[in-house]
Amino acid sequence: MPHLAPGQRATDLSDLVRLLQRWTQETTEATVSGGTSTHRAYLTAVVGGVECVLAGDTTRAGVAAFLDRMDRRSSLWVVPSRTGRPCRVAFGEPAEVLDGFFLYTEQPYWSPKLLDAPQLVGVRLLQAVAALHRRGSQHVRVSPGMSPSGVYWRVTLSAAPGSIGDEKPSQLSWSSGSGADVVGVDVTAATTPDALADALVAAVPAFGRPWRDWTYTGWYAELLALVEREGRLPVSFADWFDKGPGWEVGWGSGVRFPPPPV
């Protein structure tokens, strides 16, 4: 019996990374099915909100190449076929398929589509804030925007006014110019939002305090869903930025979202 049973499902890219990491560490099988299947949908995974399948004849070398690309935070793209399906998932810029790694989308695409991107670290940070909200620390706020150069995305996390008294420090900042390090965590596709949330609380204990604000967290959950669907980071400030229409999801995208409740 192969370690990866047919029909196993990864809920997102980080879950798929962890599943395949464990498979490489705990088995010596040549393919993910252990040689029992070449079925195109041996495993299923949601990548960038898109249903994908991993073929049973995906090789150990192919998985190793995939994990290496994830450590280097490569972009993931759909490469359409002439018939529209199956559509192969490719990596990097320019996008290229990996020998022996047979990941496909379930639905057809007729033009290239970005599934996941190097803004992974920023998205994980936003997801970590949502994890804190689910734990009951609903006073944690985000203020995302662009650097004056327009090159780097940056975000400040802070506690809502009045939620923690005089406790200090009560905020931290991160910029995409800082690389993948967030409060000492090297964020990769395998980093879970909960693990990063733990690190945020370790760095700023005030972020772990209980505080209820369902209005803000409801707004934030909708914002995060749009960020995950678009695959772009939110912007609330930048040079020459018109705040009137609300926040923008994706700098220069024109996709707007209402500002947070007061």
Side-chain angles (χ1 to χ4, degrees):
M1 173 67 68
H3 176 75
L4 295 176
Q8 280 188 255
R9 179 175 176 80
T11 57
D12 57 21
L13 180 59
S14 62
D15 196 24
L16 178 63
V17 169
R18 290 193 300 275
L19 192 69
L20 294 178
Q21 283 178 332
R22 183 180 173 192
W23 174 76
T24 61
Q25 293 164 1
E26 298 182 1
T27 79
T28 58
E29 295 159 356
T31 66
V32 296
S33 69
T36 64
S37 173
T38 60
H39 195 280
R40 187 170 64 86
Y42 187 78
L43 303 178
T44 63
V46 178
V47 179
V50 174
E51 290 284 339
C52 296
V53 293
L54 186 68
D57 54 352
T58 295
T59 67
R60 178 168 290 273
V63 170
F66 164 74
L67 294 176
D68 176 69
R69 291 301 185 99
M70 292 301 93
D71 281 341
R72 289 188 278 143
R73 302 167 191 88
S74 293
S75 304
L76 280 73
W77 296 83
V78 175
V79 178
S81 66
R82 291 184 178 180
T83 60
R85 60 184 302 146
C87 294
R88 188 90 174 262
V89 175
F91 302 82
E93 295 183 38
E96 61 178 348
V97 298
L98 303 179
D99 290 341
F101 193 78
F102 306 116
L103 184 66
Y104 304 91
T105 63
E106 281 280 61
Q107 65 187 91
Y109 290 94
W110 301 98
S111 60
K113 174 181 173 61
L114 180 65
L115 293 183
D116 205 354
Q119 59 258 36
L120 169 82
V121 181
V123 172
R124 283 291 183 276
L125 188 50
L126 297 175
Q127 291 171 333
V129 172
L132 291 174
H133 290 169
R134 290 192 296 272
R135 297 177 186 182
S137 300
Q138 298 176 353
H139 60 311
V140 182
R141 303 286 190 263
V142 301
S143 178
M146 301 302 298
S147 66
S149 67
V151 174
Y152 300 114
W153 182 79
R154 56 190 185 183
V155 63
T156 296
L157 275 55
S158 61
S163 63
I164 59 171
D166 295 328
E167 187 173 340
K168 301 293 182 180
S170 60
Q171 71 176 36
L172 62 82
S173 298
W174 178 84
S175 166
S176 58
S178 303
D181 182 271
V182 180
V183 294
V185 176
D186 183 31
V187 178
T188 71
T191 304
T192 66
D194 277 305
L196 189 52
D198 290 340
L200 294 176
V201 172
V204 183
F207 288 168
R209 293 277 295 275
W211 182 271
R212 292 290 187 269
D213 189 339
W214 297 111
T215 301
Y216 181 86
T217 54
W219 169 86
Y220 188 83
E222 288 191 42
L223 171 68
L224 183 58
L226 180 60
V227 167
E228 292 172 337
R229 184 165 66 249
E230 293 289 324
R232 297 173 175 177
L233 296 169
V235 173
S236 66
F237 65 84
D239 286 355
W240 307 291
F241 181 66
D242 180 6
K243 296 182 179 180
W247 290 18
E248 189 172 33
V249 176
W251 179 228
S253 70
V255 177
R256 292 286 186 153
F257 190 80
V262 177

